[in-house]
Amino acid sequence: MGDRPPASARGGSLSARLPVFPWDTLAGARSTAEAHPEGLVDLSVGTPVDSVPRVIRRTLAEAADRPGYPTVWGTAALRNAILSWAERRLGAGPLELDHPNVLPVVGSKELVAWLPIQLGLGPGDRVAFPHLAYPTYEVGARLAGAEPVPYEDPLELDPTGLRLLWLNSPSNPTGRVLAPERLRTIVEWAREHDVLVLSDECYLELGWETDPVSVLDPAVCGGEVEGLIAVHSLSKRSNLAGYRAAFLVGDPAVLGELLTIRKHGGMMVPAPVQAATVAALGDDEHVLEQRARYAARRETLRTALTGAGFRIEHSEASLYLWATRDEPGRDTVAWLAERGILVAPGEFYGPAGASFVRVAFTATDERVEQAARRLAAG
């Protein structure tokens, strides 16, 4: 037995299907930025830095004594909160009162990565996603052994073998927002070709120059959720990245299948987090307060970047500025690192982003102001 090769060597490792984890390649730039006399300003990731709202923390603490297993489907209170929020904020509805249209998940990244497998996709199936996109859409396809298909225009896709179409509006990384009429045309095309649409809408409440619209808005879907799933997260709008709180809304047939699979896999949102999610979805005030913080940081960084010779494209929503100096993005990363500022090269999100960088405004006010001063100094 001691001479037997490991399972990964015998059957081929799953990780061999995947690209290098992008942020691991930033180690050199990070070291350079950290050496700045006034310290690192990390604008490379979209992780919240502000406190979890008090109403959510209080609810979490009150729910801490939950020794039993939670359910995969979540409490009735949680499902009611998701239903109410989706109808109020997304314009979705009418949704069924017995909750077949909603499903809590353990953070949206977990869902994106494992969804193709949970839907039974595999070799011969195709998964499409924007050509500038969050890397995990491609990872999910590769984990399932399906073919990843980046697109510039989904209406130009060959529907043969296409099982899953990802939309992302507002976009990560570009902040681009798809107009309702554009979304409607895509939904109609997908339904015509029997392609399931997953719409990643995690930044929907963070529109700056336009109001993003959900794929479940009646103006988009015609009041029918068949073939549509909207993905939402509390990580950004409520500073709950550490809680892993997210949920799906949409086609009950698809969500019912996922519920069955996830029961077998024990994919349960912790009970205290379920309670905290109810509190978060029931309170709009903290969302408005957080939006105001981000709006101020966005304006500071946008002004500083354009003053330093950058051009900003799209960026009408989300937590990022999609910026370029019309040079290779890695050169821009190095230029900023010398000033103690770390950003993500656009190539992380696809070859079309090679001359861009993604600048997050998820840093404290002090760090954002520090970045602006360094950019002004040249």
PDB file of all heavy atoms in Angstrom, residues 141-161:
ATOM      1  N   ALA A 141     -17.917  25.603 -14.654  1.00  0.00           N
ATOM      2  CA  ALA A 141     -18.015  24.757 -15.836  1.00  0.00           C
ATOM      3  C   ALA A 141     -16.914  23.702 -15.837  1.00  0.00           C
ATOM      4  O   ALA A 141     -17.164  22.509 -16.106  1.00  0.00           O
ATOM      5  CB  ALA A 141     -17.932  25.618 -17.097  1.00  0.00           C
ATOM      6  N   ARG A 142     -15.700  24.114 -15.522  1.00  0.00           N
ATOM      7  CA  ARG A 142     -14.568  23.181 -15.556  1.00  0.00           C
ATOM      8  C   ARG A 142     -14.686  22.115 -14.470  1.00  0.00           C
ATOM      9  O   ARG A 142     -14.314  20.951 -14.685  1.00  0.00           O
ATOM     10  CB  ARG A 142     -13.258  23.950 -15.426  1.00  0.00           C
ATOM     11  CG  ARG A 142     -12.966  24.827 -16.642  1.00  0.00           C
ATOM     12  CD  ARG A 142     -11.574  25.416 -16.615  1.00  0.00           C
ATOM     13  NE  ARG A 142     -11.316  26.225 -17.795  1.00  0.00           N
ATOM     14  CZ  ARG A 142     -10.977  25.747 -18.989  1.00  0.00           C
ATOM     15  NH1 ARG A 142     -10.848  24.435 -19.140  1.00  0.00           N
ATOM     16  NH2 ARG A 142     -10.764  26.553 -20.002  1.00  0.00           N
ATOM     17  N   LEU A 143     -15.165  22.474 -13.300  1.00  0.00           N
ATOM     18  CA  LEU A 143     -15.352  21.473 -12.247  1.00  0.00           C
ATOM     19  C   LEU A 143     -16.319  20.379 -12.696  1.00  0.00           C
ATOM     20  O   LEU A 143     -16.155  19.209 -12.345  1.00  0.00           O
ATOM     21  CB  LEU A 143     -15.872  22.141 -10.976  1.00  0.00           C
ATOM     22  CG  LEU A 143     -14.867  22.961 -10.166  1.00  0.00           C
ATOM     23  CD1 LEU A 143     -15.579  23.726  -9.054  1.00  0.00           C
ATOM     24  CD2 LEU A 143     -13.778  22.071  -9.576  1.00  0.00           C
ATOM     25  N   ALA A 144     -17.320  20.766 -13.473  1.00  0.00           N
ATOM     26  CA  ALA A 144     -18.311  19.799 -13.949  1.00  0.00           C
ATOM     27  C   ALA A 144     -17.840  19.025 -15.174  1.00  0.00           C
ATOM     28  O   ALA A 144     -18.501  18.058 -15.580  1.00  0.00           O
ATOM     29  CB  ALA A 144     -19.611  20.523 -14.273  1.00  0.00           C
ATOM     30  N   GLY A 145     -16.733  19.440 -15.775  1.00  0.00           N
ATOM     31  CA  GLY A 145     -16.293  18.821 -17.011  1.00  0.00           C
ATOM     32  C   GLY A 145     -17.040  19.331 -18.225  1.00  0.00           C
ATOM     33  O   GLY A 145     -16.932  18.762 -19.315  1.00  0.00           O
ATOM     34  N   ALA A 146     -17.816  20.411 -18.062  1.00  0.00           N
ATOM     35  CA  ALA A 146     -18.539  21.019 -19.173  1.00  0.00           C
ATOM     36  C   ALA A 146     -17.622  21.993 -19.905  1.00  0.00           C
ATOM     37  O   ALA A 146     -16.540  22.348 -19.425  1.00  0.00           O
ATOM     38  CB  ALA A 146     -19.786  21.740 -18.662  1.00  0.00           C
ATOM     39  N   GLU A 147     -18.065  22.452 -21.064  1.00  0.00           N
ATOM     40  CA  GLU A 147     -17.270  23.384 -21.866  1.00  0.00           C
ATOM     41  C   GLU A 147     -17.593  24.816 -21.463  1.00  0.00           C
ATOM     42  O   GLU A 147     -18.739  25.249 -21.572  1.00  0.00           O
ATOM     43  CB  GLU A 147     -17.564  23.198 -23.353  1.00  0.00           C
ATOM     44  CG  GLU A 147     -16.803  24.170 -24.244  1.00  0.00           C
ATOM     45  CD  GLU A 147     -17.225  24.122 -25.693  1.00  0.00           C
ATOM     46  OE1 GLU A 147     -18.042  23.241 -26.047  1.00  0.00           O
ATOM     47  OE2 GLU A 147     -16.761  24.987 -26.481  1.00  0.00           O
ATOM     48  N   PRO A 148     -16.596  25.599 -21.026  1.00  0.00           N
ATOM     49  CA  PRO A 148     -16.842  27.018 -20.727  1.00  0.00           C
ATOM     50  C   PRO A 148     -16.846  27.831 -22.019  1.00  0.00           C
ATOM     51  O   PRO A 148     -15.964  27.667 -22.869  1.00  0.00           O
ATOM     52  CB  PRO A 148     -15.664  27.394 -19.828  1.00  0.00           C
ATOM     53  CG  PRO A 148     -14.572  26.435 -20.193  1.00  0.00           C
ATOM     54  CD  PRO A 148     -15.235  25.177 -20.681  1.00  0.00           C
ATOM     55  N   VAL A 149     -17.841  28.717 -22.165  1.00  0.00           N
ATOM     56  CA  VAL A 149     -17.998  29.488 -23.403  1.00  0.00           C
ATOM     57  C   VAL A 149     -18.138  30.965 -23.061  1.00  0.00           C
ATOM     58  O   VAL A 149     -19.237  31.431 -22.722  1.00  0.00           O
ATOM     59  CB  VAL A 149     -19.231  29.017 -24.202  1.00  0.00           C
ATOM     60  CG1 VAL A 149     -19.331  29.785 -25.515  1.00  0.00           C
ATOM     61  CG2 VAL A 149     -19.188  27.515 -24.449  1.00  0.00           C
ATOM     62  N   PRO A 150     -17.064  31.746 -23.123  1.00  0.00           N
ATOM     63  CA  PRO A 150     -17.200  33.185 -22.917  1.00  0.00           C
ATOM     64  C   PRO A 150     -17.867  33.835 -24.127  1.00  0.00           C
ATOM     65  O   PRO A 150     -17.629  33.434 -25.265  1.00  0.00           O
ATOM     66  CB  PRO A 150     -15.755  33.655 -22.753  1.00  0.00           C
ATOM     67  CG  PRO A 150     -14.919  32.618 -23.416  1.00  0.00           C
ATOM     68  CD  PRO A 150     -15.668  31.324 -23.329  1.00  0.00           C
ATOM     69  N   TYR A 151     -18.709  34.829 -23.883  1.00  0.00           N
ATOM     70  CA  TYR A 151     -19.395  35.500 -24.981  1.00  0.00           C
ATOM     71  C   TYR A 151     -19.289  37.010 -24.842  1.00  0.00           C
ATOM     72  O   TYR A 151     -19.164  37.547 -23.746  1.00  0.00           O
ATOM     73  CB  TYR A 151     -20.876  35.096 -25.041  1.00  0.00           C
ATOM     74  CG  TYR A 151     -21.701  35.538 -23.849  1.00  0.00           C
ATOM     75  CD1 TYR A 151     -22.168  36.846 -23.708  1.00  0.00           C
ATOM     76  CD2 TYR A 151     -22.036  34.631 -22.831  1.00  0.00           C
ATOM     77  CE1 TYR A 151     -22.921  37.247 -22.620  1.00  0.00           C
ATOM     78  CE2 TYR A 151     -22.789  35.031 -21.730  1.00  0.00           C
ATOM     79  CZ  TYR A 151     -23.227  36.339 -21.635  1.00  0.00           C
ATOM     80  OH  TYR A 151     -23.971  36.743 -20.544  1.00  0.00           O
ATOM     81  N   GLU A 152     -19.330  37.677 -25.999  1.00  0.00           N
ATOM     82  CA  GLU A 152     -19.449  39.128 -26.009  1.00  0.00           C
ATOM     83  C   GLU A 152     -20.906  39.532 -26.155  1.00  0.00           C
ATOM     84  O   GLU A 152     -21.365  40.484 -25.543  1.00  0.00           O
ATOM     85  CB  GLU A 152     -18.604  39.725 -27.138  1.00  0.00           C
ATOM     86  CG  GLU A 152     -18.544  41.238 -27.109  1.00  0.00           C
ATOM     87  CD  GLU A 152     -17.474  41.799 -28.031  1.00  0.00           C
ATOM     88  OE1 GLU A 152     -16.774  41.002 -28.690  1.00  0.00           O
ATOM     89  OE2 GLU A 152     -17.341  43.029 -28.086  1.00  0.00           O
ATOM     90  N   ASP A 153     -21.639  38.763 -26.977  1.00  0.00           N
ATOM     91  CA  ASP A 153     -23.065  38.981 -27.177  1.00  0.00           C
ATOM     92  C   ASP A 153     -23.762  37.628 -27.065  1.00  0.00           C
ATOM     93  O   ASP A 153     -23.560  36.757 -27.922  1.00  0.00           O
ATOM     94  CB  ASP A 153     -23.316  39.595 -28.550  1.00  0.00           C
ATOM     95  CG  ASP A 153     -24.801  39.890 -28.805  1.00  0.00           C
ATOM     96  OD1 ASP A 153     -25.651  39.463 -27.991  1.00  0.00           O
ATOM     97  OD2 ASP A 153     -25.096  40.538 -29.823  1.00  0.00           O
ATOM     98  N   PRO A 154     -24.569  37.413 -26.040  1.00  0.00           N
ATOM     99  CA  PRO A 154     -25.192  36.092 -25.883  1.00  0.00           C
ATOM    100  C   PRO A 154     -26.096  35.705 -27.043  1.00  0.00           C
ATOM    101  O   PRO A 154     -26.299  34.514 -27.307  1.00  0.00           O
ATOM    102  CB  PRO A 154     -25.979  36.225 -24.576  1.00  0.00           C
ATOM    103  CG  PRO A 154     -26.195  37.695 -24.393  1.00  0.00           C
ATOM    104  CD  PRO A 154     -24.983  38.353 -24.989  1.00  0.00           C
ATOM    105  N   LEU A 155     -26.623  36.692 -27.755  1.00  0.00           N
ATOM    106  CA  LEU A 155     -27.526  36.394 -28.857  1.00  0.00           C
ATOM    107  C   LEU A 155     -26.780  35.794 -30.050  1.00  0.00           C
ATOM    108  O   LEU A 155     -27.416  35.262 -30.972  1.00  0.00           O
ATOM    109  CB  LEU A 155     -28.271  37.652 -29.298  1.00  0.00           C
ATOM    110  CG  LEU A 155     -29.101  38.344 -28.209  1.00  0.00           C
ATOM    111  CD1 LEU A 155     -29.834  39.540 -28.771  1.00  0.00           C
ATOM    112  CD2 LEU A 155     -30.083  37.374 -27.565  1.00  0.00           C
ATOM    113  N   GLU A 156     -25.457  35.864 -30.041  1.00  0.00           N
ATOM    114  CA  GLU A 156     -24.659  35.280 -31.114  1.00  0.00           C
ATOM    115  C   GLU A 156     -24.156  33.882 -30.768  1.00  0.00           C
ATOM    116  O   GLU A 156     -23.437  33.258 -31.558  1.00  0.00           O
ATOM    117  CB  GLU A 156     -23.474  36.196 -31.432  1.00  0.00           C
ATOM    118  CG  GLU A 156     -23.902  37.560 -31.981  1.00  0.00           C
ATOM    119  CD  GLU A 156     -22.734  38.484 -32.268  1.00  0.00           C
ATOM    120  OE1 GLU A 156     -21.582  38.083 -31.946  1.00  0.00           O
ATOM    121  OE2 GLU A 156     -22.955  39.582 -32.792  1.00  0.00           O
ATOM    122  N   LEU A 157     -24.538  33.369 -29.597  1.00  0.00           N
ATOM    123  CA  LEU A 157     -24.106  32.037 -29.194  1.00  0.00           C
ATOM    124  C   LEU A 157     -24.798  30.956 -30.018  1.00  0.00           C
ATOM    125  O   LEU A 157     -25.964  31.093 -30.400  1.00  0.00           O
ATOM    126  CB  LEU A 157     -24.433  31.800 -27.714  1.00  0.00           C
ATOM    127  CG  LEU A 157     -23.584  32.543 -26.687  1.00  0.00           C
ATOM    128  CD1 LEU A 157     -24.246  32.456 -25.310  1.00  0.00           C
ATOM    129  CD2 LEU A 157     -22.169  31.960 -26.632  1.00  0.00           C
ATOM    130  N   ASP A 158     -24.069  29.878 -30.271  1.00  0.00           N
ATOM    131  CA  ASP A 158     -24.676  28.677 -30.837  1.00  0.00           C
ATOM    132  C   ASP A 158     -25.390  27.967 -29.692  1.00  0.00           C
ATOM    133  O   ASP A 158     -24.747  27.561 -28.715  1.00  0.00           O
ATOM    134  CB  ASP A 158     -23.580  27.782 -31.429  1.00  0.00           C
ATOM    135  CG  ASP A 158     -24.129  26.476 -32.001  1.00  0.00           C
ATOM    136  OD1 ASP A 158     -25.340  26.221 -31.892  1.00  0.00           O
ATOM    137  OD2 ASP A 158     -23.307  25.693 -32.528  1.00  0.00           O
ATOM    138  N   PRO A 159     -26.709  27.785 -29.768  1.00  0.00           N
ATOM    139  CA  PRO A 159     -27.430  27.163 -28.647  1.00  0.00           C
ATOM    140  C   PRO A 159     -27.231  25.655 -28.530  1.00  0.00           C
ATOM    141  O   PRO A 159     -27.667  25.070 -27.538  1.00  0.00           O
ATOM    142  CB  PRO A 159     -28.888  27.500 -28.959  1.00  0.00           C
ATOM    143  CG  PRO A 159     -28.937  27.636 -30.442  1.00  0.00           C
ATOM    144  CD  PRO A 159     -27.617  28.228 -30.848  1.00  0.00           C
ATOM    145  N   THR A 160     -26.554  25.040 -29.483  1.00  0.00           N
ATOM    146  CA  THR A 160     -26.354  23.588 -29.445  1.00  0.00           C
ATOM    147  C   THR A 160     -25.582  23.186 -28.191  1.00  0.00           C
ATOM    148  O   THR A 160     -24.454  23.646 -27.962  1.00  0.00           O
ATOM    149  CB  THR A 160     -25.574  23.115 -30.686  1.00  0.00           C
ATOM    150  OG1 THR A 160     -26.252  23.541 -31.869  1.00  0.00           O
ATOM    151  CG2 THR A 160     -25.443  21.596 -30.680  1.00  0.00           C
ATOM    152  N   GLY A 161     -26.183  22.354 -27.381  1.00  0.00           N
ATOM    153  CA  GLY A 161     -25.523  21.875 -26.167  1.00  0.00           C
ATOM    154  C   GLY A 161     -25.427  22.902 -25.059  1.00  0.00           C
ATOM    155  O   GLY A 161     -24.866  22.622 -23.992  1.00  0.00           O
TER     156      GLY A 161
END
